[in-house]
Amino acid sequence: MSAVLDRAPGLENTGKLLPSLREIEDAARVVYREFQATPQYRWGLSSQRLGTDCWIKHENHTPVGAFKLRGGLTYFEALQRRGELPAQVVSATRGNHGQSIGWAARAHGVACTIVVPHGNSLEKNAAMRALGVTLIEHGEDFQESREFAMALAAERGAHMVPSFHADLLRGVSTYWWEFMLAVPQLDVVYVPIGQGSGACSAIAAKLALGRKLRIVGVVSAHATTYADSLAAGRVVEAPVTTQLADGMACRVADGAALDILLPQLDHIVKVTDDEVAQAMRDLYTDTHNVAEGAGAASFAAAMKERELLKGQVVGVTLCGGNVDRTVFAEVLAGPQA
């Protein structure tokens, strides 16, 4: 079910976090040193399935198969610009953030250790190691990995790279900026929420470009900290039981992200693992692109609300395609609606 959010008067606490249009444009120049703008297409079959024009932004086409790389590039560029590049960094991830930090750290000659929970995606783990990352498995979920990574960074005197930071938002905002420039007629976009950088960056691009489109947040029905926290107006911890949407498997929301999301999100949609699996199948059938669980969540949410979207131009993000082959094979073998 959708949950309409209470409106807050403004963004008094977020001015230092959200990038300006000029900062987004500057960030794009940093990103484009590594790869060019990703495509967005109006897919006929997806539009037919949704019952209205559906544009899909293909962040699965970055060199690490997910949008996170943009943020890692701008984060390390900012460290270098300030003369603060460390000898080593530590961070925690379920995979895509870790690939981003590993790629950027390698480009700057910085040693990188990434902590992941036990049972993390084997293929995401392998991709991080291929980037030169030292991988440590610790904890049963992302929050335990994050807390261990913070302690490890303090013990080593290493720089701890957070999952949510203004210098990450600058880079991630470039993909929403690309999308909104390429498809100015968008009425509404659906954005999955993990730690919040994707959704906050969509807000940043909207405000920077002066657009009127609605931004709908999407969370896993099995990881509801952001939905619960937005409803309560404060951080509310919630258990994580999703087996498919690991990119949204967050147990504790980020307070700074909440400050940005609360006054700007139109509403929140919760999607189940079954709905995400169906969206993964739909996207493969319609576009022959691979979507990981979080990467299919925005389309799942749009499909859930398709009766409300007639006549509107809808944007969704295939924000990552890094799903283990065995998992994807099992999902594809499931029933096609």
Side-chain angles (χ1 to χ4, degrees):
M1 296 295 292
S2 304
V4 177
L5 304 179
D6 291 335
R7 283 289 177 266
L11 290 171
E12 293 83 354
N13 298 323
T14 63
K16 294 182 180 179
L17 285 174
L18 291 179
S20 66
L21 179 58
R22 181 171 180 174
E23 288 172 324
I24 296 172
E25 291 169 345
D26 288 344
R29 285 187 278 273
V30 174
V31 170
Y32 297 161
R33 294 172 194 163
E34 299 291 328
F35 63 96
Q36 291 302 300
T38 59
Q40 49 280 310
Y41 300 120
R42 181 199 176 279
W43 288 96
L45 287 173
S46 297
S47 296
Q48 179 178 288
R49 192 183 299 276
L50 192 59
T52 196
D53 280 359
C54 180
W55 286 80
I56 299 175
K57 179 64 168 170
H58 283 283
E59 288 297 285
N60 57 312
H61 290 182
T62 77
V64 301
F67 76 94
K68 292 283 190 178
L69 178 56
R70 297 173 183 266
L73 293 171
T74 52
Y75 188 90
F76 274 77
E77 184 272 340
L79 288 174
Q80 183 180 52
R81 179 164 28 89
R82 295 193 297 263
E84 298 175 0
L85 269 181
Q88 59 176 318
V89 297
V90 177
S91 196
T93 189
R94 288 303 303 264
N96 291 335
H97 173 70
Q99 288 191 71
S100 166
I101 301 309
W103 179 293
R106 181 184 64 177
H108 288 274
V110 174
C112 180
T113 298
I114 299 292
V115 183
V116 300
H118 293 292
N120 198 52
S121 162
L122 295 176
E123 292 174 25
K124 287 180 181 177
N125 287 355
M128 284 184 279
R129 290 190 178 101
L131 293 170
V133 164
T134 298
L135 202 73
I136 296 175
E137 295 182 74
H138 180 91
E140 298 306 312
D141 64 7
F142 168 76
Q143 186 63 24
E144 290 187 8
S145 297
R146 176 176 175 270
E147 291 167 2
F148 179 80
M150 293 173 68
L152 184 64
E155 175 186 315
R156 293 181 175 180
H159 178 87
M160 174 68 190
V161 182
S163 299
F164 189 87
H165 188 276
D167 290 329
L168 296 171
L169 292 185
R170 285 192 304 111
V172 176
S173 296
T174 62
Y175 103 77
W176 288 105
W177 169 78
E178 290 172 4
F179 199 6
M180 293 176 196
L181 285 177
V183 194
Q185 69 271 33
L186 285 168
D187 293 307
V188 57
V189 294
Y190 286 81
V191 191
I193 301 175
Q195 276 293 110
S197 66
C200 291
S201 294
I203 289 166
K206 170 188 171 176
L207 295 176
L209 291 169
R211 295 298 162 83
K212 302 295 186 183
L213 57 82
R214 304 188 311 283
I215 298 177
V216 179
V218 183
V219 302
S220 170
H222 318 292
T224 61
T225 181
Y226 271 94
D228 298 344
S229 299
L230 288 163
R234 58 180 175 82
V235 174
V236 177
E237 183 175 331
V240 173
T241 57
T242 177
Q243 298 299 306
L244 193 55
D246 58 350
M248 299 194 294
C250 174
R251 175 158 54 93
V252 182
D254 187 285
L258 287 177
D259 287 344
I260 296 172
L261 297 173
L262 183 58
Q264 293 294 326
L265 287 184
D266 189 77
H267 61 277
I268 286 282
V269 180
K270 299 176 185 177
V271 291
T272 66
D273 278 359
D274 286 345
E275 289 165 338
V276 166
Q278 184 59 54
M280 292 168 71
R281 289 190 288 271
D282 290 345
L283 288 168
Y284 187 77
T285 299
D286 297 351
T287 76
H288 289 93
N289 277 257
V290 174
E292 62 186 276
S298 59
F299 188 72
M303 285 295 291
K304 194 166 186 172
E305 297 198 323
R306 63 188 178 277
E307 295 305 319
L308 306 175
L309 298 173
K310 303 298 184 184
Q312 300 181 53
V313 181
V314 179
V316 301
T317 171
L318 203 172
C319 57
N322 298 322
V323 56
D324 284 4
R325 180 181 55 153
T326 54
V327 173
F328 193 56
E330 184 177 344
V331 167
L332 288 184
Q336 182 67 36

